Amino acid sequence: LRRVAGGPLKPFGFDGTVAVDAGVMGFAGSGAGALAEVCEGFRSWSGENALPPFDLYRDLACALAADTRREELVEECGPNVDSPREWREFLWERLHGLPFALFTPPGLSFTHLGTTEEYVAAVANGAAWGHDPRYDRSAGSWVGPGKLPPGVVCLGSVVDVAPAPRGGRGLSRWLVERSHLTNLSRLGADCVVSGVHDPAGRLRLREGVVACQVPLNRRGDRVVTQLYGVQDDPKRRFCDGTATLFGVPLGDWLAKRGIVADEVWPEVRRDQRSLWNAQLYPVHELHGDWEIVLWLQDEAPNPKGFEAANPRGFEATDPGQIDRWRAARRLSMADIAAQADHACLAERRAELQAKRCVRELDARVRGREDGAFTRLFERLADGDARRFVADEIEALCSSQDDPL
């Protein structure tokens, strides 16, 4: 069972409803032996070979399901499956037919979001919350001044100014989560911004691009910003031509920029190459030059020159930027998942909570609102958030000629 970190669940959105990431699968006592054999087999396999990739849904759940046929799991999984055939066969023999039960707490509904595109559609439309008209598009966020523009969902974030993003159409959507942005005006339609710390306004995104930023050290000054298309599936294989980047076949994207496949997959077998393990994303300074990664979304270099007009209305890549990218330390999505500094991620969330509270406090004081501010600070989850609040209030006061 998994849920949000420590303490009682707190209201999220409206009417005290909470978001819970949870799943409970129960097994009869007679199944303990089979599960123990799977665990032991995993350890044994890891000692003799490379650790077998393990997919909870495909490998475990499909092996258990009564409707699954052996050939579906073992023989017909297709080229995009990472786990070895022998491992899937081992799971089939140990788990198929094992009795189990699924537990769903009363009053909860189950929503499974398997891709970025499904996640954006569900959250941006409120589908994850049952299309409730009271769905709060700015839950846990500070957006000011003014109202959140139509089509924008902002969760657990701080947006200091909120002009409408550019390029929007009637059904366009934007999702901003766990981020600090100066404004939204440099975001193209249907973008996703996740975990990006950008109070200086460096971020620019073209239509349909995801930007996900991850800190690599405790100070948070060394980061990786991943860029890819909302519709890209990072696990699709390069060898069969199904892998894409920004909606373009990955092979074409590399070739148009003069990048050889071995540059981004120096130690990955050809039949295992995918967007997931391509070393595309340079490590960069949080307060430094972001163009070393932002160029990835730009058009290929124009043979008539970098300054040539671009028919799609976005920048063409400066050829010199590709050389700077080549010289940088680069990571793949798989590397980033393994090297992310989770303590720094937690601190970032606490800092965002603090910024939101202090901005709301400042707005209430400037508006000469009367009443207690206790509830503002009751939302703070931990000591880090409270410490950040003190720092933010001190910085706010020091910036005013007359703080009182």
Side-chain angles (χ1 to χ4, degrees):
L1 173 66
R2 259 187 340 126
R3 63 169 191 161
V4 294
L9 293 171
K10 296 184 178 181
F12 181 89
F14 54 84
D15 279 4
T17 302
V18 296
V20 183
D21 181 1
V24 183
M25 184 177 281
F27 296 90
S30 58
L35 294 172
E37 287 183 25
V38 169
C39 294
E40 184 58 38
F42 192 81
R43 282 194 292 268
S44 300
W45 187 288
S46 304
E48 298 175 4
N49 309 278
L51 192 68
F54 187 83
D55 186 289
L56 177 64
Y57 290 105
R58 186 196 61 239
D59 293 338
L60 181 61
C62 288
L64 285 165
D67 292 342
T68 303
R69 294 179 294 113
R70 181 184 179 281
E71 54 269 26
E72 288 177 327
L73 182 72
V74 178
E75 308 287 355
E76 299 175 2
C77 283
N80 291 325
V81 173
D82 291 323
S83 56
R85 179 186 182 282
E86 295 81 2
W87 173 248
R88 299 196 303 273
E89 191 165 26
F90 173 82
L91 290 175
W92 170 269
E93 292 172 353
R94 299 303 187 280
L95 297 179
H96 190 66
L98 194 68
F100 68 93
L102 295 176
F103 298 94
T104 304
L108 294 190
S109 58
F110 176 74
T111 301
H112 178 251
L113 307 172
T115 66
T116 302
E117 190 174 18
E118 289 175 357
Y119 175 66
V120 173
V123 176
N125 293 335
W129 326 114
H131 297 283
D132 195 297
R134 298 162 296 176
Y135 170 57
D136 185 355
R137 292 189 299 117
S138 59
S141 298
W142 165 261
V143 180
K147 295 182 178 180
L148 198 63
V152 178
V153 175
C154 192
L155 304 177
S157 298
V158 171
V159 179
D160 289 320
V161 293
R166 61 180 175 81
R169 300 178 297 276
L171 298 178
S172 295
R173 298 165 299 201
W174 296 263
L175 173 60
V176 179
E177 58 175 16
R178 297 176 289 104
S179 297
H180 181 190
L181 303 181
T182 301
N183 64 67
L184 305 175
S185 63
R186 302 186 76 193
L187 304 185
D190 301 313
C191 283
V192 179
V193 181
S194 179
V196 175
H197 185 78
D198 182 34
R202 297 176 177 87
L203 185 67
R204 59 176 178 83
L205 295 179
R206 67 186 300 168
E207 180 177 339
V209 172
V210 178
C212 178
Q213 191 175 88
V214 178
L216 298 177
N217 61 5
R218 188 62 188 267
R219 296 189 307 275
D221 55 356
R222 298 285 284 173
V223 300
V224 179
T225 305
Q226 302 167 82
L227 298 184
Y228 56 96
V230 171
Q231 297 181 341
D232 293 334
D233 183 346
K235 297 298 182 70
R236 291 197 174 276
R237 299 288 189 193
F238 178 71
C239 62
D240 62 14
T242 60
T244 59
L245 181 58
F246 308 115
V248 176
L250 188 48
D252 293 350
W253 187 93
L254 293 171
K256 288 180 179 179
R257 288 153 184 82
I259 300 172
V260 179
D262 286 346
E263 291 185 76
V264 294
W265 291 291
E267 298 179 355
V268 181
R269 284 185 1 215
R270 293 191 176 187
D271 62 338
Q272 296 294 317
R273 292 173 174 179
S274 65
L275 180 58
W276 175 253
N277 53 31
Q279 293 180 351
L280 288 168
Y281 303 109
V283 177
H284 63 93
E285 298 288 339
L286 179 63
H287 303 294
D289 181 12
W290 288 26
E291 287 302 317
I292 196 169
V293 64
L294 295 180
W295 75 269
L296 294 173
Q297 64 187 315
D298 295 342
E299 297 289 341
N302 194 311
K304 296 181 180 179
F306 173 56
E307 295 81 9
N310 187 285
R312 295 179 65 180
F314 217 71
E315 300 180 27
T317 300
D318 178 355
Q321 196 63 264
I322 301 179
D323 294 334
R324 290 188 286 274
W325 170 86
R326 278 194 170 99
R329 175 193 171 205
R330 303 190 310 276
L331 301 178
S332 67
M333 292 180 176
D335 297 330
I336 294 166
Q339 298 181 33
D341 189 310
H342 293 281
C344 186
L345 284 169
E347 280 200 352
R348 277 195 176 185
R349 287 192 291 270
E351 187 176 8
L352 282 170
Q353 279 189 309
K355 289 181 183 295
R356 184 196 71 212
C357 286
V358 173
R359 280 163 172 72
E360 191 168 339
L361 173 66
D362 182 42
R364 290 189 186 185
V365 171
R366 291 179 185 277
R368 300 186 181 278
E369 291 187 28
D370 198 5
F373 297 107
T374 307
R375 294 199 64 182
L376 269 180
F377 303 104
E378 286 177 346
R379 306 173 188 170
L380 301 179
D382 53 36
D384 281 338
R386 291 188 285 273
R387 173 169 56 83
F388 282 125
V389 161
D391 294 343
E392 288 285 322
I393 291 177
E394 184 176 346
L396 178 63
C397 291
S398 65
S399 69
Q400 308 295 317
D401 293 333
D402 182 5
L404 294 179

